[in-house]
Amino acid sequence: AFTQPIMYDLIRKHPTVTKIYRERLLEGGVISESEIEQMKQEIEDILERAQVEAKELQVKFNQTGFKKVWTGMQRNFSFDPVDTAAPEEMLKMIATKLAELPEGFTPHGKLVRLMETRRKLVHEGKPMDWGTVEALAYGSLLVEGTPVRLTGQDSQRGTFSHRHAVLTDINTEEEYTPLDHINGDQARFCIYDSPLAEASVVGFEYGYSLGDPKMLVMWEAQFGDFVNGAQVIIDQFIASAQAKWDRHSGLVLLLPHGYEGQGPEHSSARVERFLQLCAEENIQVANPTTPAQYFHMIRRQMKRSFRKPLIVLTPKSLLRHPKATSVISDLTTGCFNEILDDAEVSSRDAVTRVLLCSGKVYYDLAKQREEAERTDTAIIRVEQLYPLHTDLIQEILGRYPNVGADSLLWVQEEPKNMGAWMHMSHWFDSRLNIRLKYVGRPESPTPAVGSKAIHDRELIDLLLGAFPPIPVGANR
């Protein structure tokens, strides 16, 4: 009426559909006036009774469990450990099966050698890279009866050519998926390349996860930055559905993240956005730095009695980093550690500074420390940013008696206004009464620079900020 007064005046004067229909029925002799009034009265009586019943109804919210396929699932997050280790015999069997090919099937020669190399690494107990351990994680769940589903823009091969879950015959282009042929009793492995339409695909996978909490449902971005396209699904469903509708999901988002000088659209999965959405233990945000950590984290997602969406900052350069490896004993024992203490420290009493970090930057810091021959600094990795295991952090920090309150630093690759800094500084200040100092790139309107040379200079500045020169004569 404010902007189109003439049209809305006509609408107001126009008879309603009910009135037009009523008059048409009366004119045709289909129904009588008394019958119409009787119908109206019956409907009004129904509505009146419903209103009275609604006012008297006492709703009892069922907090004990879910219904149908969600029966037995719990609502609340817990740090209680679950058994995620896998038997060595199983892992060796999986590695053997992944290297076996159907008769007459001929994939690319490099892939034949890759699968055989992976088999040997497992059987000989040698350090395994990310791709090898990832395949064992999925394979172990499948053998135990948990179906696995993964979609993404290049998920079958892996954007960085590390996965090769689906092999292609070089002569016929026939496809073969080794993880779907481990044994006859296994669950189904479903892996599909999906289009560059993040909102629709993530929305579909989110719905899939609602319908089957006993299936590991994952979506992988080609680069973590591409999750931008699914922001509406993240905001309105993944992060808030638990609070709005008591709907839970075990959906896993795999978002390649890390600063390697690849530019502003291929560096950041925007971890700060996910951390801003964190409250009431609604989602999990993790940044595992070893293959074994990923192995236990993925298995933990399906072994616990509750389901929460899991946001994983997955690696790029770490996929083949010589230090980012694990051996089979790391998979047959242990569990996912939300915080990793520094195993390289020989004397905790000698440590006077602690660097807290998350993700790939740990390896840059560890290399710098080694080259500088620093024994005064420990590097602690926060592998799960939310929910943050504050009790474990306090326990680990308590192991370093000579670290003062002003010697705790948060180090990150991302600009100061991005990454985990704001979340972590607030959390430490409000929950632990600890004021962290910041080391990292300055504030920026873009996630990363577009020049590899500038990127390298920024990394040097970052490392010098984390390890400033020691005054002459001081203890190293």
Side-chain angles (χ1 to χ4, degrees):
F2 292 148
T3 58
Q4 301 175 41
I6 295 177
M7 183 178 73
Y8 276 86
D9 185 56
L10 292 173
I11 292 174
R12 187 171 61 253
K13 293 176 180 178
H14 195 280
T16 64
V17 173
T18 304
K19 185 175 181 180
I20 294 172
Y21 187 47
R22 169 185 174 139
E23 292 177 354
R24 181 71 57 86
L25 293 175
L26 290 171
E27 290 174 1
V30 178
I31 196 170
S32 67
E33 184 74 41
S34 61
E35 289 175 316
I36 291 176
E37 291 302 320
Q38 182 181 349
M39 288 181 181
K40 284 181 59 178
Q41 189 60 50
E42 289 175 354
I43 293 171
E44 288 178 2
D45 290 344
I46 291 172
L47 295 175
E48 286 290 343
R49 288 196 302 272
Q51 185 180 35
V52 172
E53 291 174 3
K55 289 180 178 180
E56 296 175 350
L57 182 64
Q58 293 183 354
V59 178
K60 294 183 179 180
F61 187 60
N62 177 19
Q63 285 282 6
T64 59
F66 298 93
K67 296 180 179 179
K68 298 182 179 179
V69 296
W70 284 82
T71 298
M73 292 292 173
Q74 304 301 312
R75 286 179 169 80
N76 297 328
F77 177 89
S78 171
F79 284 112
D80 293 343
V82 292
D83 185 9
T84 55
E88 182 174 337
E89 296 76 15
M90 176 203 290
L91 298 178
K92 289 182 177 179
M93 180 272 292
I94 293 170
T96 298
K97 290 296 183 179
L98 295 183
E100 292 180 355
L101 299 172
E103 185 176 352
F105 186 86
T106 310
H108 195 287
K110 287 186 177 180
L111 298 185
V112 175
R113 293 190 293 274
L114 173 66
M115 298 303 172
E116 179 59 22
T117 298
R118 289 179 172 179
R119 185 193 68 79
K120 289 182 178 179
L121 293 177
V122 177
H123 280 264
E124 296 174 8
K126 294 181 177 180
M128 300 175 289
D129 63 10
W130 204 279
T132 303
V133 174
E134 180 191 52
L136 294 177
Y138 301 157
S140 62
L141 287 172
L142 295 168
V143 169
E144 292 170 346
T146 299
V148 176
R149 175 182 174 85
L150 172 60
T151 62
Q153 285 132 11
D154 200 2
S155 59
Q156 293 184 344
R157 178 187 64 119
T159 296
F160 309 102
S161 200
H162 81 286
R163 182 171 294 126
H164 298 291
V166 178
L167 307 178
T168 303
D169 190 295
I170 60 174
N171 299 313
T172 65
E173 292 195 352
E174 178 187 358
E175 293 183 345
Y176 177 71
T177 306
L179 279 168
D180 218 16
H181 297 84
I182 302 173
N183 64 35
D185 298 326
Q186 71 168 83
R188 186 180 177 189
F189 180 62
C190 311
I191 183 167
Y192 307 104
D193 288 342
S194 55
L196 280 161
E198 290 82 3
S200 59
V201 180
V202 173
F204 185 89
E205 300 307 324
Y206 173 73
Y208 212 110
S209 71
L210 296 179
D212 192 351
K214 295 179 175 61
M215 183 180 203
L216 175 61
V217 182
M218 301 176 288
W219 175 79
E220 182 176 58
Q222 196 162 52
F223 283 83
D225 314 65
F226 294 10
V227 78
N228 281 339
Q231 197 65 48
V232 65
I233 302 297
I234 295 165
D235 290 345
Q236 295 186 221
F237 297 95
I238 294 175
S240 59
Q242 173 182 316
K244 290 194 290 189
W245 309 302
D246 193 32
R247 296 305 306 271
H248 294 234
S249 164
L251 178 65
V252 179
L253 302 186
L254 304 178
L255 310 179
H257 175 91
Y259 280 60
E260 280 98 10
Q262 294 180 297
E265 269 64 67
H266 296 82
S267 299
S268 176
R270 296 288 194 173
V271 59
E272 65 277 0
R273 293 182 183 171
F274 289 103
L275 292 176
Q276 283 181 333
L277 295 171
C278 291
E280 300 177 1
E281 298 176 335
N282 59 331
I283 60 176
Q284 307 162 94
V285 181
N287 196 0
T289 55
T290 71
Q293 281 282 86
Y294 183 84
F295 178 89
H296 289 293
M297 178 192 67
I298 285 296
R299 287 176 54 79
R300 181 187 73 161
Q301 183 72 355
M302 302 308 296
K303 296 289 184 179
R304 293 179 300 189
S305 60
F306 60 88
R307 294 289 180 265
K308 304 279 185 177
L310 172 61
I311 316 302
V312 187
L313 307 178
T314 59
K316 294 180 288 183
S317 63
L318 294 191
L319 294 173
R320 295 174 179 83
H321 196 290
K323 297 286 188 178
T325 58
S326 300
V327 295
I328 192 168
S329 60
D330 297 327
L331 314 184
T332 59
T333 60
C335 60
F336 177 74
N337 296 287
E338 293 88 1
I339 316 292
L340 285 178
D341 195 1
D342 195 337
E344 302 299 318
V345 171
S346 56
S347 173
R348 291 195 173 106
D349 289 337
V351 172
T352 57
R353 298 170 72 252
V354 167
L355 306 181
L356 290 145
C357 66
S358 185
K360 181 188 75 70
V361 73
Y362 163 77
Y363 291 94
D364 295 322
L365 294 171
K367 180 181 178 182
Q368 180 73 9
R369 179 177 62 178
E370 181 180 3
E371 292 177 351
E373 298 179 346
R374 297 287 289 268
T375 59
D376 65 329
T377 305
I379 308 172
I380 296 173
R381 284 172 275 179
V382 180
E383 301 278 290
Q384 180 170 295
L385 294 160
Y386 188 86
L388 191 62
H389 200 161
T390 51
D391 290 344
L392 183 55
I393 287 179
Q394 289 178 306
E395 177 189 332
I396 292 175
L397 292 178
R399 299 169 187 170
Y400 299 93
N402 297 319
V403 176
D406 60 343
S407 298
L408 290 171
L409 294 82
W410 177 263
V411 186
Q412 67 177 35
E413 300 179 301
E414 303 85 359
K416 190 175 183 179
N417 57 319
M418 301 179 193
W421 161 244
M422 292 185 179
H423 176 84
M424 297 300 293
S425 61
H426 171 72
W427 194 281
F428 269 71
D429 188 20
S430 62
R431 305 295 177 92
L432 301 177
N433 197 27
I434 294 174
R435 285 289 181 94
L436 295 176
K437 292 184 177 180
Y438 173 79
V439 176
R441 288 175 166 84
E443 293 178 352
S444 170
T446 181
V449 296
S451 163
K452 182 64 165 64
I454 297 175
H455 165 83
D456 291 341
R457 289 201 299 270
E458 288 182 341
L459 178 58
I460 292 173
D461 291 341
L462 186 157
L463 295 174
L464 289 176
F467 295 96
I470 297 178
V472 178
N475 186 359
R476 301 182 67 85

